[in-house]
Amino acid sequence: MEKSIFIIHRGRVYPPGEMKGIEKLGLLKFDFLGLRNLTVIQECIDLTGEKIDLLKIDYNNSKTMAELSTGDTMGVFQLESSGMRDVIRRLKPTCLEDIIAIVALYRPGPLEGGMVDDFILRKAGKKQVVYDSEVLEPILRETYGVFVYQEQVMKTANVMAGFSLGEADLLRRAMGKKIASEMAQQREKFVAGAIKHKHPEQLAQRIFDLMAEFAKYGFNKSHAAAYAMVTVQTAYLKTYFPEAFYAALLSSESEDIEKMGMIIRNAAAHDFETLPPHVNFSKVDFALEPRDGRTKIRYGLSAIKNLGVAVAKAIQAEREKKGEFKDALDFFMRLPHDVMNKRAFECLIRSGSLDGLGSTRASLIASLDSLMSTAQAHGRDKAGGQIALFAAKPKIKAMEEWPDRIRLNDEKHL
């Protein structure tokens, strides 16, 4: 999500919409994007326990590209929408350059103008790649003869008409702004430069028209390349470390239950099981757990609705310090009540996080007030240095477990 930055200069506040005014002051504007995907990448690497240098991976990795070509791009940066999944299936990318191009092209203008379809057909060899001039081939070869990037417009002006890179950038900006008087001046300069470099005037006019047409949709390649790198990084991790990737992705979406459900179902479709939350096995976030000879994904405690990170951390810290909880009563007596409250205990019970500790969910809910008062009294005595040798332990009421309908509804809600 892009963050809005307000700039104060000599007592005047310039909101983000006044960027032209900022430029006139001689100030440089930066847009900083906070991407959730970068957190997913780092958490995935941490979960693998391996040293993975993503700047040294093969960005043209055939297995990664084959996985992308299936269109199963859940969690892959920039490629998750249904429209993009359709495009990536038809494109069948084979290298980073293909990803950069599709990131640049997947916008309303190029889609409506048929540029995306044209690009896909040319890559597949179903449409002939034609260059209006041989000087354009090295510039447009990577995009199959299609002007896609602003840099291609600049390079064409540089090579064909002798523009300096600074002059070429002014041409790019003029095309983007579509100011008629400025465009007329640039056309005259471009044609004169092309003739000087021994290109026919008619060709120069045609190339200028072509550049002006594509400048309406032209994208900055360096921007698209930076995005495409993150795209391939997420795709690479999903291909080679799928369990860790799904666990990191689930942690990042822990506040969106619907999205988490989609991720869990997608993981299950690839035979990666997500185990339910449990106070004896779950960590704060989603984690990997060896079980039955396979690596499975364990639901994170902090992802339980209304529980909170502080409670999840307290449970994990207590378990790591003194070992697993023997039964439900042991759990109630050991958890610090400065972070636990009735709602937290109820969420843990109803989510199934205390299942298998000797008491049904129905029994624990029915005994909750008694358990909490005893545990709180125990906590106060312990804090005051008192030990009650003959204190009676609370009894957990024996209740028949709720039917599946109630239990499953609780789990879905939490």
Side-chain angles (χ1 to χ4, degrees):
M1 178 180 178
E2 185 172 352
K3 307 299 180 183
S4 297
I5 301 174
F6 289 79
I7 299 175
I8 301 175
H9 181 71
R10 294 183 179 177
R12 183 180 173 188
V13 178
Y14 295 86
E18 291 194 25
M19 287 308 138
K20 291 181 180 178
I22 295 300
E23 290 177 2
K24 289 178 181 178
L25 290 172
L27 299 178
L28 181 64
K29 178 180 81 78
F30 288 91
D31 291 336
F32 290 93
L33 304 178
L35 298 179
R36 183 193 300 267
N37 306 78
L38 299 180
T39 301
V40 172
I41 287 171
Q42 187 58 58
E43 289 187 356
C44 176
I45 292 173
D46 292 343
L47 284 169
T48 67
E50 298 187 26
K51 292 182 179 179
I52 303 171
D53 187 345
L54 289 178
L55 295 179
K56 295 181 179 179
I57 65 171
D58 178 9
Y59 281 83
N60 301 319
N61 180 271
S62 59
K63 187 176 179 181
T64 301
M65 293 298 159
E67 287 292 324
L68 284 177
S69 296
T70 66
D72 185 1
T73 52
M74 170 73 74
V76 178
F77 181 56
Q78 291 282 298
L79 303 185
E80 287 194 88
S81 71
S82 59
M84 186 61 99
R85 291 201 304 271
D86 175 63
V87 166
I88 213 74
R89 275 193 294 264
R90 291 192 292 126
L91 175 67
K92 299 197 181 308
T94 53
C95 60
L96 174 63
E97 291 292 347
D98 289 344
I99 304 298
I100 296 172
I102 212 63
V103 167
L105 286 171
Y106 194 78
R107 292 173 295 119
L111 285 168
E112 292 166 7
M115 288 174 64
V116 174
D117 291 332
D118 195 29
F119 183 88
I120 292 172
L121 290 172
R122 291 188 182 206
K123 174 179 169 56
K126 296 179 181 179
K127 188 172 183 178
Q128 187 178 2
V129 177
V130 178
Y131 304 98
D132 287 84
S133 170
E134 61 182 19
V135 300
L136 292 179
E137 183 173 355
I139 300 171
L140 301 180
R141 186 186 301 121
E142 64 176 329
T143 52
Y144 310 102
V146 179
F147 274 104
V148 173
Y149 309 119
Q150 293 173 349
E151 288 89 341
Q152 290 173 320
V153 169
M154 294 169 64
K155 188 64 176 176
T156 299
N158 171 245
V159 171
M160 193 169 182
F163 278 45
S164 70
L165 293 181
E167 290 171 329
D169 188 49
L170 292 175
L171 170 64
R172 175 195 63 80
R173 293 177 64 183
M175 287 180 168
K177 292 177 181 177
K178 305 178 187 67
I179 301 172
S181 59
E182 195 171 342
M183 282 289 284
Q185 292 176 6
Q186 291 289 349
R187 177 187 290 274
E188 185 179 339
K189 183 177 179 179
F190 178 84
V191 171
I195 292 172
K196 186 177 178 179
H197 283 74
K198 301 185 177 5
H199 297 290
E201 180 181 352
Q202 188 176 0
L203 173 65
Q205 294 281 6
R206 188 165 74 250
I207 296 298
F208 189 91
D209 288 338
L210 193 62
M211 291 193 301
E213 174 64 24
F214 283 103
K216 292 190 294 186
Y217 314 123
F219 203 75
N220 185 295
K221 185 183 180 183
S222 57
H223 184 129
Y227 269 34
M229 283 185 69
V230 180
T231 298
V232 175
Q233 288 170 0
T234 51
Y236 177 88
L237 292 173
K238 185 179 181 182
T239 300
Y240 287 96
F241 307 95
E243 300 97 331
F245 182 79
Y246 278 118
L249 189 61
L250 283 164
S251 291
S252 77
E253 298 287 358
S254 60
E255 295 180 2
D256 187 338
I257 289 180
E258 293 300 322
K259 186 67 179 288
M260 287 170 61
M262 292 169 60
I263 297 168
I264 289 172
R265 288 192 293 274
N266 187 262
H270 294 278
D271 204 23
F272 302 120
E273 184 180 357
T274 303
L275 302 171
H278 198 282
V279 293
N280 272 341
F281 309 112
S282 292
K283 295 184 178 180
V284 174
D285 294 318
F286 285 80
L288 303 184
E289 183 178 315
R291 187 170 287 270
D292 303 327
R294 296 195 60 185
T295 299
K296 301 187 179 183
I297 303 164
R298 175 65 73 172
Y299 204 99
L301 291 172
S302 64
I304 298 173
K305 190 175 180 181
N306 299 324
L307 189 67
V309 175
V311 173
K313 286 182 176 179
I315 293 170
Q316 183 176 333
E318 175 65 23
R319 188 181 70 225
E320 290 176 349
K321 183 179 178 182
K322 296 183 180 178
E324 292 183 2
F325 303 101
K326 299 182 181 69
D327 51 37
L329 182 59
D330 183 43
F331 177 79
F332 274 83
M333 299 297 279
R334 284 169 56 183
L335 261 291
H337 285 263
D338 56 338
V339 294
M340 297 294 292
N341 55 37
K342 186 174 182 178
R343 185 175 75 165
F345 279 120
E346 188 168 348
C347 287
L348 287 166
I349 294 167
R350 291 185 181 277
S351 67
S353 299
L354 296 176
D355 285 1
L357 292 183
S359 303
T360 64
R361 298 184 195 182
S363 296
L364 292 174
I365 290 295
S367 309
L368 186 54
D369 289 335
S370 174
L371 287 167
M372 284 194 64
S373 60
T374 303
Q376 287 168 351
H378 173 75
R380 287 193 297 270
D381 290 345
K382 186 177 179 182
Q386 300 180 38
I387 300 176
L389 295 176
F390 305 105
K393 290 184 178 181
K395 290 184 178 180
I396 298 176
K397 298 176 183 178
M399 303 283 290
E400 186 177 345
E401 186 57 293
W402 295 320
D404 286 347
R405 175 179 55 81
I406 294 176
R407 296 169 73 243
L408 292 172
N409 187 60
D410 280 346
E411 290 176 17
K412 180 181 179 182
H413 177 66
L414 293 168

